Amino acid sequence: MIIDCHGHYTTAPKALELFRKAQIAALTDPKAAARSFKASDDEVRETLVPAQLKLQIERGTDLALFSPGAGRMSHHIGNFETSSEWSRVCNDLIAQVCRIYPKSFVGVCQLPQSPGVEPKTCIPELERCVNELGFIGCNLNPDPSGGYWKDPPLTDRWWYPLYETMVELDVPAMVHVAASCNPNFHGTGAHYINGDTSAFMQFVTSDLFKDFPTLKFIIPHGGGAVPYHWGRYRGLAQDMKRPPLTELLKNVFFDTCVYHQKGVDLLTSVVPVENVLFASEMVGAVKGIDPETGHRFDDTRRYIDGAAHLSETQRDQIFEQNARRVYGRLNKVLAQRGLA
Amino acid sequence: MIIDCHGHYTTAPKALELFRKAQIAALTDPKAAARSFKASDDEVRETLVPAQLKLQIERGTDLALFSPGAGRMSHHIGNFETSSEWSRVCNDLIAQVCRIYPKSFVGVCQLPQSPGVEPKTCIPELERCVNELGFIGCNLNPDPSGGYWKDPPLTDRWWYPLYETMVELDVPAMVHVAASCNPNFHGTGAHYINGDTSAFMQFVTSDLFKDFPTLKFIIPHGGGAVPYHWGRYRGLAQDMKRPPLTELLKNVFFDTCVYHQKGVDLLTSVVPVENVLFASEMVGAVKGIDPETGHRFDDTRRYIDGAAHLSETQRDQIFEQNARRVYGRLNKVLAQRGLA
């Protein structure tokens, strides 16, 4: 089985966008009409069959851990109530996807984060998604301000109540920023990657995992800049008398959203294979075809298959076994669906 | 000749730090005693002989393009006058270093940037450093706010008057942030790398180099995350109907401050060799010895020598010829010193 741990419902029905626009308009215009959102199962099918499902078949991948569009989380908009309503709608839609296509998608939720609001306010939505909707993970935004980085680092006690719930529920978080509203940062080209790099360095400099030995994070986009600068991080940890990075790798994992062969070669030869989870981010950041290969940039399965130094056992770890281990609830969900 | 295009005077005499502390104290305490700074030539020698000069000899590198400590620029402290006085003192000290050791150092200046202050205010100090002190480049901070990213992107017209002077003087800028005062960003482990990645993506999305066809930037620390995500950047440029990255490479260059063999292998096989300039950042971000190799992490010459796919001609480009081409005033300065 090939499990893609990083897929977003970026192709959601147009009505979702209209709902969001109305919600945002209502923030400043009390006369704006409230709008509710509901998609029929057919509408959902129409958005997935020619996109994620088609690409899964073409690429021979089986299952995506599927969450709402990450950029569109835009936690910087409005307040906690705004994010709360928006998260509920988006997560319910993911649950609908998983109900319609139980063999192809497992849910990962968006959290109702809001700048300056304590992360513990996200606990009820996380519990609802895991306990009632059958989700197995969440996306955690290290910067709800959308590019101004105003909240405390992920290693601050500010976040601890949420971590306690994550541990209790046995769900990991993918560290994933949302849209950038800072003109210095292009979203998918800078803010996303910076978020990944920053989170890793926060982990390097803290004792977070002494307090939460079983807490797990996946850093997407191949870990930002981290594997490329692996020597720098090993050296910084050593200079600061921090534990070696291998200690951190009990809790921190990287996905394979790196869109060329040499990048994936580096990732999989620098980071231990046990810490690399297959992912493509499709349909996501880059949609085009690489003229140098004739294949889509985000067809990351080809790069794992093409990494000559990997054994078949190692590929199996990256494609399937690591995800089953890191997402503690995955095996049970798959068994319930007859996909064990 | 081996030219290291990225060295900082991080080992400057203790008195420089005391001067800076007094300067900062005076910002809030009108009774704080003003302090002037002057180092004797012997004091300068004592700080370089056992550090940068010793390492140059050990590693067989010849010349460093040498600038004030980058973190210590801390443009977020005080106002334009604060930065102006601090830059003058730091740049004069670099000029003193170059006078004492003309065979080993060529000057690159710090600019008196300040958050919210127009970059054109830096022109007089840039002109002074180039025309009077013989410097050949400058460090340009894309985020004078120190991690809150409040000023316009590097591609905004806000920066244009400074670029006009850079072009007129034929000096490139290394895009280099200073210290982070945002607890989310470790300085050398996150803010530096994020600054590099963000600047590159700003360039990808703008027509800056149509307006300034001869303007040149060096992105340090191996280009942040960019070479590792080269496919992502090629794909984003293509999706956005921007020119291919090769167009950008007429104006944008990367240094080799990547502290492990596999990272340098990636850099030099993904980015055209003409765009890679040798650098070590010593004495800088990482000071220790890599237990896996027995050599210092920042001894980047070993990685260039060890990159098996490079020819001797290509190594010569990286070590020397590219720097001579990108730093337009370098050849003349070296000739004046009898080092042509």
Side-chain angles (χ1 to χ4, degrees), chain A residues 148-149 151-153 182-186 188-190 192-194 197-198 201-202 205 221-222 224-225 227-236 238-240 257-260 262-263 266-267 269-270 281 285-292 297, chain B residues 148-149 151-153 182-186 188-190 192-194 197-198 201-202 205 221-222 224-225 227-236 238-240 257-260 262-263 266-267 269-270 281 285-292 297:
Chain A
Y148 291 95
W149 293 88
D151 279 349
N182 185 328
N184 280 286
F185 303 130
H186 184 272
T188 50
Y192 279 27
I193 306 294
N194 292 351
T197 307
S198 304
M201 196 61 200
Q202 292 173 9
T205 51
H221 321 108
Y228 175 49
H229 285 288
W230 199 243
R232 188 179 190 89
Y233 291 101
R234 286 200 297 114
L236 283 169
Q238 181 174 293
D239 283 0
M240 291 187 288
C257 295
V258 177
Y259 295 158
H260 62 146
K262 283 178 178 152
L266 177 87
L267 167 66
S269 58
V270 164
E281 203 184 348
V286 177
K287 296 181 186 66
I289 290 170
D290 185 346
E292 291 183 9
F297 282 103
Chain B
Y148 291 95
W149 293 88
D151 279 349
N182 185 329
N184 280 286
F185 303 131
H186 183 273
T188 50
Y192 278 29
I193 307 294
N194 293 350
T197 307
S198 304
M201 196 61 199
Q202 292 173 8
T205 51
H221 321 109
Y228 175 49
H229 285 288
W230 199 243
R232 188 178 191 87
Y233 290 101
R234 285 200 297 114
L236 284 169
Q238 181 175 293
D239 282 0
M240 291 186 290
C257 295
V258 176
Y259 295 158
H260 62 147
K262 282 175 180 154
L266 177 88
L267 167 65
S269 58
V270 165
E281 204 185 346
V286 178
K287 295 181 186 66
I289 289 171
D290 185 346
E292 291 183 9
F297 281 103

Side-chain angles (χ1 to χ4, degrees), chain A residues 200-222:
Chain A
F200 184 79
M201 196 61 200
Q202 292 173 9
F203 298 144
V204 169
T205 51
S206 104
D207 286 327
L208 175 63
F209 301 114
K210 279 195 183 158
D211 291 337
F212 294 100
T214 61
L215 184 65
K216 292 192 185 74
F217 292 106
I218 301 96
I219 304 189
H221 321 108

Side-chain angles (χ1 to χ4, degrees), chain A residues 116 119 142-144 149-159 202, chain B residues 183-184:
Chain A
D143 170 32
W149 293 88
K150 291 176 183 170
D151 279 349
L154 290 177
T155 49
D156 192 278
R157 287 179 175 273
W158 173 256
W159 303 88
Q202 292 173 9
Chain B
N184 280 286

